[in-house]
């Protein structure tokens, strides 16, 4: 079943035409990784899916609901599709637990006790049960990103968008975040991940899209695209990412 | 010195009546300017061109007219339009409106200093504009806004003396009245200055503490 559907999406920033006809369908339970050089429009397409960015042409739907950031229905879209950001974007004035329960209590109006109980369980799930009263500034980057994942999960979303979730982390902290993401994938969460972690994409993704110049240059099963790329631009990109020297 | 103390004992009770009015004018106009300033600031950052433009125009008009003229306008002109206010009411409204412009610029700077990622995180969990303001932006902007807010308080305390121009017998005017009837200029105005200092020094101290506490993140 189509969870997220994008049809011929176009987006320009001024005269810069960054997305030039992007179409794909993400099924329930599917893990899709979007890879490609910087400036190829990866993050932009992700941000269009939950309406953080508007798009100029084409359609995006989430469970059949049209994504229109100017419409009231955008709240319904955003409670179905959560997002994890490159720079975590935790609320610095609230503790880890408060960050996690903010959406359930104030957006979804869940009873406080219930939300807190689930929030604690989610922090435990990302391995941070003992950090519930810590403020973000007291946490490492990897811990902050795991709180951010718990915050996304707390909305009980149908899908989660990850925008380069490990790019701002020190190398030794990348693993703890990727392993949480892998466990989500194993449990059947629908995920769209913009990433430079080719190892993760190869192991976890059902499908990989290679984006360049605002269009999908190549797509297919992760093993195929990443191990045996057909298009010269994909081959060139992967060579440079995997063997930077 | 003995004469000074003796005169002080005589003048202080009268000056205290003026001080009471000074505090009322300051607190009243502070509350009004804070509320109005927040409204202007929220209109400015609302993203709605009509609201933002209106707020910008209002703030510029207020900033472009001297406080004393605004006071005259409210006290002497509004009665022509059937709105009669007591001098005290006019002083509170006049100073409150005049200072709302500075409050709004301060609030807006605080709101705009919050990282864009905070707004996006709030939106991504389905928060609307108002909820984002209330739960995410304003609590963080509060700390940024606080030290300048303290400075505005000090300025308002001193500018409350402008209420004397529309006959509010606050501290400065009360002093002038005593001085002109007793000719004890030195004693009276030394007392008046000391009383202002008694009120402003704690505020100045408070502001420098706030700046040290919130200055570096």
């Amino acid at each position: 079943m189509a969870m997220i559907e994008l049809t011929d999406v176009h987006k320009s920033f001024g005269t810069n035409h960054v997305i030039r006809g992007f179409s794909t369908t993400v099924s329930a339970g599917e893990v899709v990784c979007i890879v490609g050089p910087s400036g190829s429009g990866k993050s932009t397409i992700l941000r269009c899916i939950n309406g953080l960015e508007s798009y100029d042409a084409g359609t995006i739907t989430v469970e059949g609901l049209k994504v229109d950031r100017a419409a009231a229905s955008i709240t319904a879209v955003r409670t179905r599709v959560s997002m994890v950001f490159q720079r975590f974007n935790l609320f610095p004035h609230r503790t880890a637990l408060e960050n996690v329960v903010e959406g359930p209590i104030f957006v979804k109006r869940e009873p406080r006790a219930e939300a807190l109980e689930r929030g604690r369980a989610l922090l435990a799930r990302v391995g941070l049960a003992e950090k519930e009263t810590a403020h973000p500034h007291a946490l490492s980057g990897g811990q902050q990103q795991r709180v951010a994942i718990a915050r996304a999960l707390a909305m009980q979303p149908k899908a989660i968008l990850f925008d380069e979730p490990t790019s701002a982390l020190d190398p030794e902290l990348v693993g703890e975040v990727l392993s949480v993401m892998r466990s989500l994938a194993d449990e059947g969460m629908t995920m769209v991940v913009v990433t430079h972690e080719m190892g993760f994409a190869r192991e976890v993704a059902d499908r990989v899209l290679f984006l360049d110049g605002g269009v999908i240059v190549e797509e297919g099963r992760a093993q195929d695209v990443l191990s045996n790329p057909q298009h010269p631009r994909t081959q060139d990109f992967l060579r440079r990412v995997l063997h930077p020297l | 010195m003995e004469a000074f103390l003796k005169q002080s004992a005589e003048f202080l009770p009268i000056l205290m009546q003026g001080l009471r009015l000074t505090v009322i004018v300051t607190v009243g106009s502070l509350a009004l300017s804070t509320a109005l300033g927040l409204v202007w600031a929220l209109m400015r950052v609302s993203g709605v061109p009509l609201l933002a433009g209106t707020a910008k125009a209002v703030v510029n008009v207020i900033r472009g007219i001297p406080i004393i003229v605004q006071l005259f306008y409210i006290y002497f002109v509004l009665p022509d339009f059937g709105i009669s206010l007591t001098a005290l009411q006019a002083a509170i409204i006049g100073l409150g409106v005049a200072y709302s412009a500075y409050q709004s610029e301060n609030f807006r700077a605080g709101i705009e200093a919050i990282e864009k990622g905070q707004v996006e995180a709030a939106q991504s969990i389905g928060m609307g504009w108002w909820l984002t303001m209330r739960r995410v932006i304003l609590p963080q902007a509060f700390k940024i806004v606080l030290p300048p807010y303290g400075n505005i308080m000090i300025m308002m305390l001193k500018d409350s003396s402008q209420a004397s121009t529309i006959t509010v017998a606050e501290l400065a005017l009360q002093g002038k009245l005593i001085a002109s009837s007793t000719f004890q200029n030195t004693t009276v105005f030394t007392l008046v200055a000391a009383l202002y200092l008694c009120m402003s020094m704690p505020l100045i101290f408070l502001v420098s503490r706030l700046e040290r506490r919130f200055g570096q993140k």
Side-chain angles (χ1 to χ4, degrees):
Chain A
M1 192 195 83
M3 172 81 69
I4 300 169
E5 204 162 3
L6 299 99
T7 314
D8 197 28
V9 175
H10 288 260
K11 166 77 183 171
S12 298
F13 292 107
T15 56
N16 188 11
H17 196 172
V18 283
I19 307 290
R20 301 164 174 263
F22 184 103
S23 301
T24 197
T25 300
V26 180
S27 311
E30 198 179 14
V31 177
V32 176
C33 281
I34 304 178
V35 302
S38 61
S40 59
K42 309 182 297 285
S43 290
T44 304
I45 203 72
L46 205 64
R47 292 159 56 81
C48 285
I49 295 175
N50 71 345
L52 284 185
E53 209 73 75
S54 62
Y55 49 101
D56 304 326
T59 52
I60 304 177
T61 58
V62 169
E63 289 192 312
L65 198 63
K66 188 171 187 296
V67 178
D68 176 0
R69 74 194 299 264
S73 60
I74 195 67
T75 305
V77 170
R78 286 171 177 161
T79 51
R80 282 175 173 75
V81 184
S82 288
M83 186 151 190
V84 173
F85 298 88
Q86 179 176 352
R87 303 229 29 111
F88 331 132
N89 295 356
L90 291 179
F91 304 131
H93 55 305
R94 308 209 183 277
T95 65
L97 183 60
E98 286 167 350
N99 265 277
V100 174
V101 300
E102 184 73 16
I105 292 177
F106 291 93
V107 177
K108 298 184 93 180
R109 307 216 154 270
E110 286 176 27
R112 201 173 189 91
E114 204 174 283
L116 284 170
E117 189 184 340
R118 216 178 63 245
R120 288 198 179 91
L122 284 169
L123 281 179
R125 175 173 173 182
V126 298
L128 293 170
E130 78 286 6
K131 295 287 187 190
E132 67 171 68
T133 58
H135 279 82
H137 63 81
L139 298 172
S140 72
Q143 290 171 330
Q144 288 188 55
Q145 195 60 300
R146 285 185 282 152
V147 173
I149 292 172
R151 177 173 71 177
L153 287 170
M155 296 303 287
Q156 299 182 298
K158 300 293 178 57
I160 303 183
L161 312 173
F162 293 83
D163 187 5
E164 301 200 29
T166 58
S167 297
L169 296 176
D170 291 338
E172 76 271 22
L173 303 176
V174 169
E176 61 191 67
V177 171
L178 290 182
S179 77
V180 169
M181 290 170 61
R182 183 202 304 259
S183 76
L184 288 181
D186 290 344
E187 289 162 32
M189 177 59 78
T190 310
M191 296 161 60
V192 182
V193 187
V194 170
T195 186
H196 292 296
E197 296 292 332
M198 295 305 152
F200 174 83
R202 194 189 317 252
E203 278 180 57
V204 180
D206 298 306
R207 189 151 54 95
V208 168
L209 309 179
F210 175 70
L211 201 62
D212 193 11
V215 292
I216 298 174
V217 172
E218 186 165 353
E219 70 170 297
R221 295 197 317 151
Q223 294 91 327
D224 295 342
V225 175
L226 296 177
S227 305
N228 188 20
Q230 300 302 308
H231 198 286
R233 278 197 277 173
T234 321
Q235 292 166 356
D236 182 52
F237 172 77
L238 288 173
R239 193 164 42 237
R240 278 182 290 134
V241 170
L242 298 174
H243 309 288
L245 297 179
Chain B
M1 190 65 197
E2 208 170 298
F4 177 83
L5 289 176
K6 195 161 158 279
Q7 286 164 357
S8 296
E10 189 183 336
F11 299 155
L12 264 178
I14 310 171
L15 288 176
M16 289 315 267
Q17 291 172 17
L19 185 126
R20 189 178 138 264
L21 276 173
T22 290
V23 170
I24 291 172
V25 169
T26 304
V27 171
S29 54
L30 183 69
L32 179 64
S33 67
T34 303
L36 270 182
L38 197 55
V39 170
W40 306 142
L42 289 176
M43 283 167 74
R44 277 299 288 273
V45 300
S46 65
V48 181
L50 182 69
L51 292 180
T54 306
K56 192 177 174 187
V58 168
V59 166
N60 282 338
V61 167
I62 294 172
R63 275 206 299 192
I65 303 173
I67 292 177
I68 196 169
V69 177
Q70 294 186 47
L71 288 172
F72 287 166
Y73 211 89
I74 289 172
Y75 190 54
F76 297 119
V77 178
L78 286 190
D80 290 350
F81 296 93
I83 304 170
S84 290
L85 299 166
T86 67
L88 182 61
Q89 289 167 341
I92 289 172
I93 293 172
L95 284 165
V97 169
Y99 265 92
S100 72
Y102 305 105
Q103 299 278 24
S104 110
E105 292 300 282
N106 179 29
F107 294 154
R108 185 168 68 97
I111 289 168
E112 287 177 348
I114 305 303
E115 256 185 278
K116 199 162 155 276
Q118 291 290 306
V119 177
E120 294 190 342
Q123 288 178 340
S124 79
I125 56 172
M127 285 190 176
W129 186 87
W130 176 239
L131 199 55
T132 302
M133 271 295 154
R134 187 166 67 83
R135 297 289 306 170
V136 178
I137 306 296
L138 293 181
Q140 294 185 64
F142 182 74
K143 288 182 189 173
I144 300 171
V145 159
L146 216 46
Y149 186 82
N151 281 321
I152 293 176
M153 275 170 73
I154 294 165
M155 284 174 11
M156 291 189 79
L157 173 68
K158 294 183 296 177
D159 273 347
S160 67
S161 60
Q162 301 210 39
S164 64
T165 59
I166 55 168
T167 76
V168 177
E170 44 65 69
L171 185 52
L173 181 56
Q174 205 66 267
K176 189 166 161 259
L177 293 175
I178 300 173
S180 55
S181 62
T182 64
F183 303 109
Q184 299 297 334
N185 288 324
T186 310
T187 308
V188 172
F189 289 119
T190 303
L191 285 174
V192 168
L195 286 173
Y196 273 114
L197 274 175
C198 285
M199 293 185 288
S200 58
M201 285 314 279
L203 288 176
I204 291 168
F205 178 71
L206 182 73
V207 168
S208 66
R209 271 198 59 164
L210 290 174
E211 276 170 349
R212 252 177 293 139
R213 183 145 165 228
F214 297 128
Q216 67 272 37
K217 244 196 165 165

